Amino acid sequence: MIERAQLQAQLQNWLSGEQNAEQTWHWAMRAVQQLEPGAVNQYEDDLVRDIMDLLVAIPQDLITVEDAEVMLYGLNNPPDEADLAQNLLWNHI
């Protein structure tokens, strides 16, 4: 299962300069590839799923630091507000 904390840590590493967009993209690709096909509850919540979908679907050179900031902002909100964060994410992208 991909959890919020994992995703938050990766985005924070990108924003702090510990890793770049390509490294974040590679991490996302590996994480998604390790999920069991057809299994349910592979993501902590729908926001985590949506962010992971974006990270693997959009080439790493097209996702910006500003996008990562919006993703991290949404993840820092309470899980029960995931739907609001999803709307923010999709409106931003």
Side-chain angles (χ1 to χ4, degrees):
M1 174 188 285
I2 299 174
E3 299 176 351
R4 275 179 174 245
Q6 289 174 285
L7 186 50
Q8 286 170 314
Q10 291 296 320
L11 293 172
Q12 192 61 47
N13 288 343
W14 180 14
L15 292 173
S16 70
E18 292 180 44
Q19 67 190 35
N20 60 33
E22 183 176 359
Q23 291 167 316
T24 303
W25 178 76
H26 282 289
W27 169 83
M29 292 293 286
R30 283 190 307 274
V32 169
Q33 288 171 350
Q34 291 174 358
L35 295 174
E36 187 175 323
V40 296
N41 299 325
Q42 298 191 68
Y43 302 94
E44 186 171 333
D45 58 44
D46 290 343
L47 178 61
V48 172
R49 182 204 59 216
D50 287 355
I51 292 173
M52 291 300 292
D53 286 350
L54 281 173
L55 288 175
V56 299
I58 299 175
Q60 75 272 7
D61 57 342
L62 295 179
I63 295 181
T64 66
V65 170
E66 291 80 18
D67 298 333
E69 289 171 345
V70 170
M71 293 173 189
L72 192 57
Y73 175 81
L75 289 168
N76 286 331
N77 286 316
D80 63 337
E81 294 179 8
D83 57 339
L84 298 173
Q86 284 175 285
N87 288 336
L88 173 66
L89 177 66
W90 290 113
N91 286 330
H92 174 75
I93 300 294

